[in-house]
């Protein structure tokens, strides 16, 4: 008897499985971005026009985001922009309607999802960083930007220091050149002054010519 109940339950699960896995038809209520993950911080992969039909492949249980198919492309849209037909009326897709609409509850993994649908996208190259979540991605990116800004500031400071050092060295060279010229001028003036003083001393030391004096009559030296 127990085995019979197990078989009946298993058969019931098999009968329910297609219904659970079946996608529901939905409609976008606005021009909305279809994104590469269940957050507005993930890259946008397409824009779904208002009123467009989408296939809802599954939704998350913890947040109201759904994996949808639109014209052969796949991506994520917030449930607040998607309606589905329930009991002859349109309702916004929410957790309370997942089971009645046959929408499976799924999980999101960047690695599996992006490997399947986004290999040709530019952002796929950074999937390792995105796999930690958009908050980590943007935090790491902001940190990298700060590091680049800091490195650029350091390079600018180094260049400014080099320019200031170069200007200071140039001013020092100019000052040294002026000092050398002034020193040469002083030495030249000192030499010229010394030469004049020596010439003056030689002039003072030279004996006067006796003919420079008036001879007195009868002075024997006047006859020379």
């Amino acid at each position: 008897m127990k085995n019979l109940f197990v078989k009946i339950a298993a058969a019931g699960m098999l009968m329910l499985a297609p219904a659970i896995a079946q996608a529901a038809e939905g409609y976008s209520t606005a021009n909305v971005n279809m994104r590469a993950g269940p957050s507005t911080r993930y890259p946008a992969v397409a824009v779904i026009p208002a009123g467009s039909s989408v296939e809802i492949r599954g939704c998350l249980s913890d947040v109201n985001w759904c994996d949808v198919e639109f014209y052969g492309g796949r991506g994520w849209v917030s449930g607040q922009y998607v309606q589905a037909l329930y009991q002859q009326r349109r309702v916004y897709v929410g957790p309370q309607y997942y089971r009645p609409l046959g929408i499976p509850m799924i999980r999101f993994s960047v690695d599996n999802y992006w490997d399947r649908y986004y290999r040709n996208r530019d952002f796929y190259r950074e999937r390792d960083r995105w796999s930690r979540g958009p908050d980590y991605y943007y935090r790491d990116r902001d940190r990298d930007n700060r590091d680049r800004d800091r490195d650029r500031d350091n390079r600018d400071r180094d260049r400014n220091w080099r320019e200031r050092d170069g200007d200071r060295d140039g001013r020092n060279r100019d000052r040294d050149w002026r000092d050398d010229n002034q020193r040469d001028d002083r030495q030249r003036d000192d030499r010229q002054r010394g030469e004049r003083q020596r010439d003056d001393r030689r002039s003072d030391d030279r004996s006067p010519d006796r003919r420079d004096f008036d001879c007195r009559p009868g002075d024997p030296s006047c006859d020379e």
Side-chain angles (χ1 to χ4, degrees):
M1 182 66 66
K2 182 177 180 181
N3 292 336
L4 179 61
F5 283 127
V6 172
K7 290 179 180 180
I8 293 174
M13 293 297 293
L14 289 175
M15 292 177 64
L16 289 175
I20 294 176
Q22 181 181 359
E25 184 177 1
Y27 305 88
S28 63
T29 61
N31 295 333
V32 62
N33 284 318
M34 184 169 68
R35 296 187 175 274
S39 169
T40 56
R41 307 194 75 181
Y42 281 103
V45 296
V47 176
I48 303 176
S52 299
S53 176
V54 296
E55 291 291 327
I56 305 172
R57 296 296 181 180
C59 297
L60 300 179
S61 60
D62 52 346
V63 291
N64 191 18
W65 279 79
C66 296
D67 175 21
V68 302
E69 182 176 353
F70 175 68
Y71 277 96
R74 290 288 287 271
W76 291 80
V77 176
S78 173
Q80 63 181 336
Y81 296 106
V82 178
Q83 289 182 334
L85 189 63
Y86 175 71
Q87 295 181 353
Q88 305 303 316
R89 62 188 178 93
R90 288 187 178 186
V91 296
Y92 281 97
V93 175
Q96 69 272 27
Y97 296 111
Y98 290 170
R99 185 177 293 276
L101 292 172
I103 300 173
M105 287 186 292
I106 59 176
R107 295 183 179 182
F108 171 71
S109 170
V110 166
D111 294 333
N112 295 333
Y113 199 86
W114 286 23
D115 284 345
R116 187 176 301 172
Y117 301 115
Y118 301 137
R119 285 183 175 273
N120 62 336
R121 298 281 184 161
D122 292 337
F123 55 79
Y124 181 79
R125 293 193 296 267
E126 296 186 285
R127 66 188 182 282
D128 292 337
R129 296 176 63 181
W130 280 105
S131 63
R132 301 178 60 193
D135 293 335
Y136 285 101
Y137 171 81
Y138 281 100
R139 187 184 66 182
D140 294 344
R141 189 187 65 172
D142 293 342
R143 183 182 58 198
D144 292 342
N145 290 336
R146 288 193 299 271
D147 291 340
R148 284 194 293 269
D149 292 340
R150 184 171 58 249
D151 293 340
R152 184 168 58 251
D153 292 340
N154 290 335
R155 289 193 297 270
D156 292 340
R157 281 197 297 271
D158 291 341
R159 184 173 62 251
N160 292 335
W161 288 340
R162 288 194 297 270
E163 291 175 353
R164 285 197 297 269
D165 291 341
D167 293 340
R168 184 170 57 248
D169 292 341
R171 290 193 297 271
N172 291 337
R173 285 194 296 270
D174 292 340
R175 185 173 58 250
D176 293 340
W177 179 80
R178 288 194 299 271
D179 292 342
D180 291 341
N181 289 338
Q182 291 174 357
R183 185 168 53 253
D184 294 340
D185 292 340
R186 286 195 299 272
Q187 292 175 353
R188 184 169 57 254
D189 293 341
D190 292 340
R191 285 196 300 272
Q192 292 175 354
R193 193 163 43 250
E195 291 174 356
R196 287 196 299 270
Q197 290 175 355
R198 285 195 298 272
D199 292 341
D200 292 341
R201 284 196 297 271
R202 283 197 296 271
S203 298
D204 294 340
D205 294 341
R206 188 176 58 209
S207 298
D209 192 347
R210 285 176 296 181
R211 287 190 296 270
D212 294 339
F213 300 94
D214 294 335
C215 296
R216 295 179 181 179
D219 189 343
S221 61
C222 293
D223 298 335
E224 297 179 359

